[in-house]
């Protein structure tokens, strides 16, 4: 179930909440939502899972008609309280058992009654109470919403309702879990905000129903406008790209060595030097052989010396984009980058992403 609150909850493990309860004690606590995961049958061993949304930093206790004990809920996120009740053999819980949540902050307590049945498919409890039908029929005069641009998770839907003062107003949004409350902010004016969450299935034409309850009577009205704001601009504004298309991470830096080819000058020069050295060895035919061997060896050495002298290096930088693609950028000299560094590429040139 999703809360009718004006703050976005961040996922956090269940722990003691850091909240100024002394400051909260100056204001009356509010329950904005109350939900149960409906079950197929009520029998010993079956768990009933409850959620209550309201003022953070408090303590929530549930009273279930027919149960032998009360249930304390744990604040898992600021303003979100959760807990499970396991039915025992001594419990006498039925599909019509009322469930009351009491939220205490400081010395102040507020209560809310679960509008849903504990059994799946039964729907909500009948709001009429026998012997308590005094007064006139409650009346809803206006039910409105300030919609969202695109109905994404985290967007606000701000609801307002005007009608009979002093009533209790709850609201159901198709595609969400639970029943939510609109508190009375001024006599006859009821307001509340709903934050869309990831598990919702909300469309522009989603049905939203408000129920006003007073003296055992109920007035119901369905929202008559879409939840998504309609743009009045003559030309649709292009959607802003929310990710960097030219941002990447340096995945590898490869040094490529290229050997130059020795030309005829190095070969001839080396051969001449080798022949001269060979002429200093032996005499007669032996001297001639030494000259030939020296010339050949010198030519080989001279060619290799020139090849090494012509050796060059260049650098290949491999980058990886967030979508999984990769690209290789070549540099004649060391680019001065490191593996793992964040970069941007523009026209084949890499720059550090600052």
């Amino acid at each position: 179930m999703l809360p009718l609150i004006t703050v976005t909850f961040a996922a956090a493990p269940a722990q003691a909440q850091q909240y100024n309860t002394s400051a909260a004690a100056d204001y009356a606590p509010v329950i904005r939502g109350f939900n149960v995961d409906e079950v197929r049958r009520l029998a010993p061993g079956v768990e009933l899972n409850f959620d209550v949304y309201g003022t953070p930093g408090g303590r929530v206790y549930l009273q279930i008609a027919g149960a032998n004990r009360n249930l304390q809920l744990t604040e898992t996120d600021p303003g979100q309280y959760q807990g499970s009740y396991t039915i025992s053999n001594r419990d006498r819980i039925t599909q019509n058992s009322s469930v009351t949540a009491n939220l205490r902050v400081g010395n102040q307590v507020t209560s809310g009654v679960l509008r849903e049945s504990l059994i799946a498919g039964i729907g909500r409890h009948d709001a009429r109470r026998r012997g308590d039908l005094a007064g006139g029929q409650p009346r809803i005069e206006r039910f409105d919403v300030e919609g969202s641009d695109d109905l994404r998770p985290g967007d606000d839907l701000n609801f307002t309702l005007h009608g009979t003062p002093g009533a209790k107003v709850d609201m159901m949004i198709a595609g969400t879990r639970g029943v939510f409350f609109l508190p009375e902010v001024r006599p006859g004016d009821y307001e509340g905000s709903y934050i869309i969450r990831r598990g919702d299935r909300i469309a522009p034409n989603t049905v939203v129903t408000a129920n006003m309850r007073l003296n055992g009577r109920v007035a119901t009205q369905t929202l008559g406008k879409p939840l998504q704001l309609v743009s009045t601009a003559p030309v649709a504004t292009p959607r802003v790209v929310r990710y960097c298309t030219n941002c990447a991470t340096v995945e590898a830096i490869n040094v490529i060595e290229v050997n130059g080819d020795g030309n005829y000058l190095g070969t001839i020069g080396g051969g001449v030097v080798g022949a001269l050295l060979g002429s200093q060895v032996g005499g007669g035919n032996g001297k001639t052989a030494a000259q030939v061997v020296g010339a050949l060896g010198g030519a080989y050495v001279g060619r290799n010396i020139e090849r090494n002298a012509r050796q060059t290096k260049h650098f290949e930088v491999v980058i990886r984009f967030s979508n999984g693609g990769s690209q290789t950028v070549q540099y004649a000299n060391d680019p001065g980058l490191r593996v793992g560094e964040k970069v941007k590429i523009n026209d084949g040139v890499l720059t550090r992403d600052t």
Side-chain angles (χ1 to χ4, degrees):
M1 169 180 172
L2 307 177
L4 284 175
I5 54 179
T6 55
V7 296
T8 302
F9 292 148
Q15 59 183 0
Q17 302 297 314
Q18 301 297 320
Y19 185 77
N20 189 345
T21 54
S22 61
D26 297 335
Y27 305 93
V30 176
I31 294 178
R32 296 184 175 88
F34 193 2
N35 177 60
V36 63
D37 290 340
E38 298 170 327
V39 296
R40 294 189 177 183
R41 63 190 183 95
L42 297 171
V46 174
E47 287 189 351
L48 300 174
N49 300 309
F50 296 94
D51 299 284
V52 171
Y53 301 92
T55 304
R59 294 181 180 273
V60 175
Y61 297 89
L62 296 190
Q63 296 176 327
I64 307 173
N68 284 282
R69 63 191 187 279
N70 293 333
L71 173 66
Q72 180 177 356
L73 304 188
T74 301
E75 188 173 13
T76 56
D77 283 321
Q80 178 177 351
Y81 304 83
Q82 296 180 329
S84 297
Y85 185 91
T86 303
I87 301 176
S88 70
N89 290 320
R90 295 182 298 170
D91 291 329
R92 297 295 181 264
I93 300 175
T94 69
Q95 66 182 34
N96 294 320
S97 291
S98 62
V99 184
T100 303
N102 298 290
L103 170 59
R104 174 183 292 274
V105 179
N107 295 322
Q108 301 195 56
V109 180
T110 189
S111 299
V113 178
L114 183 68
R115 299 298 184 187
E116 301 170 275
S117 173
L118 301 176
I119 297 290
I122 299 299
R124 289 177 298 167
H125 292 301
D126 189 355
R128 294 179 177 272
R129 303 180 202 173
R130 296 180 181 179
D132 187 18
L133 297 178
Q137 177 76 17
R139 179 182 178 185
I140 298 176
E141 298 178 0
R142 184 178 66 256
F143 184 28
D144 199 3
V145 64
E146 180 183 343
S148 166
D149 290 329
D150 46 14
L151 300 178
R152 293 181 303 169
D155 288 350
D156 289 352
L157 298 173
N158 300 306
F159 294 93
T160 57
L161 184 144
H162 181 75
T164 305
K168 299 292 185 181
V169 176
D170 61 68
M171 185 178 66
M172 296 184 68
I173 306 174
T176 68
R177 296 176 56 243
V179 178
F180 309 96
F181 307 122
L182 294 183
E184 188 174 16
V185 295
R186 292 174 298 277
D189 289 332
Y190 305 82
E191 297 179 359
S193 296
Y194 181 83
I195 299 177
I196 301 174
R197 305 189 77 172
R198 294 187 181 277
D200 290 344
R201 297 292 181 268
I202 297 180
N205 59 347
T206 288
V207 177
V208 182
T209 305
N211 300 283
M212 174 178 283
R213 306 173 189 276
L214 181 65
N215 297 325
R217 299 181 182 273
V218 181
T220 301
Q221 184 167 322
T222 301
L223 187 68
K225 63 185 297 185
L227 297 178
Q228 186 168 3
L229 294 175
V230 179
S231 175
T232 58
V235 179
T237 303
R239 191 177 181 87
V240 177
V241 178
R242 298 184 181 274
Y243 60 92
C244 179
T245 58
N246 65 333
C247 295
T249 303
V250 177
E251 187 171 76
I253 300 176
N254 301 320
V255 181
I256 308 300
E257 294 185 355
V258 179
N259 292 326
D261 293 330
N263 59 21
Y264 67 93
L265 292 177
T267 302
I268 293 174
V272 171
V273 172
L276 291 176
L277 292 175
S279 65
Q280 305 299 318
V281 180
N285 292 333
K287 182 175 182 178
T288 301
Q291 288 177 329
V292 173
V293 172
L296 293 175
Y300 175 77
V301 172
R303 186 177 183 87
N304 283 338
I305 291 174
E306 185 176 4
R307 180 183 292 112
N308 291 334
R310 291 172 175 268
Q311 186 181 71
T312 60
K313 293 182 180 179
H314 68 268
F315 296 80
E316 291 183 350
V317 180
V318 182
I319 60 174
R320 180 74 61 181
F321 297 95
S322 58
N323 63 1
S326 64
Q327 184 174 340
T328 300
V329 182
Q330 296 188 356
Y331 285 87
N333 300 308
D334 186 352
L337 298 172
R338 302 187 308 273
V339 174
E341 193 167 5
K342 303 297 184 181
V343 294
K344 288 184 177 180
I345 183 168
N346 294 290
D347 297 328
V349 178
L350 296 178
T351 57
R352 288 183 173 86
D353 186 2
T354 58

